[in-house]
Amino acid sequence: MAEVTKPLQRSFRLFSALLLLLGLFAPTTEALYLLRKRATVCNGRAELCDRRYGNTTFLTAHNSFAFSSNPLALARTQAVDIPSQLRIGARVLQGQAHMQNGQLRFCHTSCALFDGGTVLDYLRKVKTFLDANPYEVFTFIFTNPGQNSVPGVWKPIFDQAGITPMAELIDTNKRVIVFLDAGADGSAGGVVDFILPQFPMMWEDPFSPTDPNFPCKIDRTAGPLSNDDHLHLINHNLNRNIIPFGWGTVLVSDFIRAPQTNALSSIIAHANGCAPLSRGRAPNYVLLDYIDVGEGMKAVDRLNGF
């Protein structure tokens, strides 16, 4: 009987969390930002105080930890640090974590390519921002390729950083939502209520795109919900191959074309290309490299109807 009950419990947890994010448990008169009633500005806009999470578009910094002002740092994806990304308007930070010498660190593919420091130090920087901005709703989208234990590794780091995510969102006005691409379903040591499985709740179009037209298709997703009932993310971060003459493929973020990639017209065209796959909805997350370049925040405002 226990073997039957566990999958049912996981399915109920998944449905409950996604319905909460989409606002299906909230009366139509309530915002799913779930902020204190005295809030008059939410995520920088008064209009967003009455906007549900599932109907909101967020500026998303791809590999947010991989920042460098050095244009020769080929593994970088951002030119400005975490506090600067937050000041620009990013309310979703994405990153990939690896275990290195007993510490969970933010690195992409390998810490030898770019070491963004410990996950704990990173979260503490965000905690400083959250403490100073009590009416901001914030989301993390992290990848966990090493299947590091969710209750044994990830949860203690959030606890140490003093960040209590969505498990207490309504009752205690916590404003942080955490998605993990692998292991949050219980396959990495167990389930933690506030760390949500990404792909059963959110679909993405192809990652590491090299076509500046960003043709859209659903690339990564998972059941049991239909794709229509998922949040969705567009990977609007252009890459280029630095190996010439067809001798191989090494993709790096294309900083030179960032002004065109992050232009309003390019982002809106990408969102429109994905709209038929999402019942006409705008993307929830616009993932960009070099968010300090171009018109990323302007595009997000446009997608939010401003």
Side-chain angles (χ1 to χ4, degrees), residues 158-178:
F158 275 97
D159 292 343
Q160 284 181 267
I163 294 178
T164 305
M166 198 184 74
E168 300 179 18
L169 185 64
I170 298 175
D171 294 335
T172 62
N173 195 43
K174 302 300 182 184
R175 297 156 284 117
V176 178
I177 297 161
V178 182

Side-chain angles (χ1 to χ4, degrees), residues 137-153:
V137 170
F138 203 86
T139 305
F140 294 114
I141 301 175
F142 293 152
T143 65
N144 185 33
Q147 288 276 329
N148 294 294
S149 171
V150 175
V153 174

Side-chain angles (χ1 to χ4, degrees), residues 75-97:
R76 71 174 184 158
T77 55
Q78 304 294 338
V80 296
D81 62 11
I82 299 297
S84 298
Q85 293 172 33
L86 300 176
R87 284 194 294 271
I88 289 167
R91 293 298 177 267
V92 183
L93 297 182
Q94 188 271 343
Q96 183 179 108

Side-chain angles (χ1 to χ4, degrees), residues 50-69:
D50 292 318
R51 182 76 60 85
R52 296 178 178 185
Y53 184 94
N55 291 332
T56 305
T57 300
F58 299 94
L59 181 63
T60 303
H62 175 233
N63 281 339
S64 52
F65 64 87
F67 59 86
S68 173
S69 59

Side-chain angles (χ1 to χ4, degrees), residues 62-63 94 96 108-109 143 181 198-199 203-211 214-221 233-240 249 251-252 270 274 287 289:
H62 175 233
N63 281 339
Q94 188 271 343
Q96 183 179 108
H108 191 264
T109 307
T143 65
D181 75 327
Q198 180 185 356
F199 296 119
W203 63 257
E204 295 186 11
D205 65 353
F207 63 95
S208 298
T210 57
D211 184 341
F214 296 99
C216 189
K217 66 177 182 177
I218 297 176
D219 186 59
R220 291 190 287 180
T221 187
L233 177 151
I234 59 172
N235 284 295
H236 197 81
N237 56 310
L238 191 65
N239 295 267
R240 60 187 174 93
T249 302
L251 297 180
V252 300
H270 189 173
C274 290
L287 184 139
D289 290 341

Side-chain angles (χ1 to χ4, degrees), residues 16-34 51-55 231:
S16 297
L18 187 58
L19 290 173
L20 178 63
L21 292 178
L22 292 175
L24 300 182
F25 280 164
T28 56
T29 56
E30 272 189 39
L32 206 83
Y33 273 96
L34 301 173
R51 182 76 60 85
R52 296 178 178 185
Y53 184 94
N55 291 332
L231 305 163

Side-chain angles (χ1 to χ4, degrees), residues 82 93 106 118-130 138 140 142 154-163 176 178:
I82 299 297
L93 297 182
F106 277 123
T118 68
V119 174
L120 178 59
D121 287 345
Y122 174 103
L123 292 179
R124 282 173 170 162
K125 292 175 185 176
V126 179
K127 177 65 160 55
T128 299
F129 171 83
L130 290 170
F138 203 86
F140 294 114
F142 293 152
W154 284 95
K155 183 181 185 299
I157 293 174
F158 275 97
D159 292 343
Q160 284 181 267
I163 294 178
V176 178
V178 182

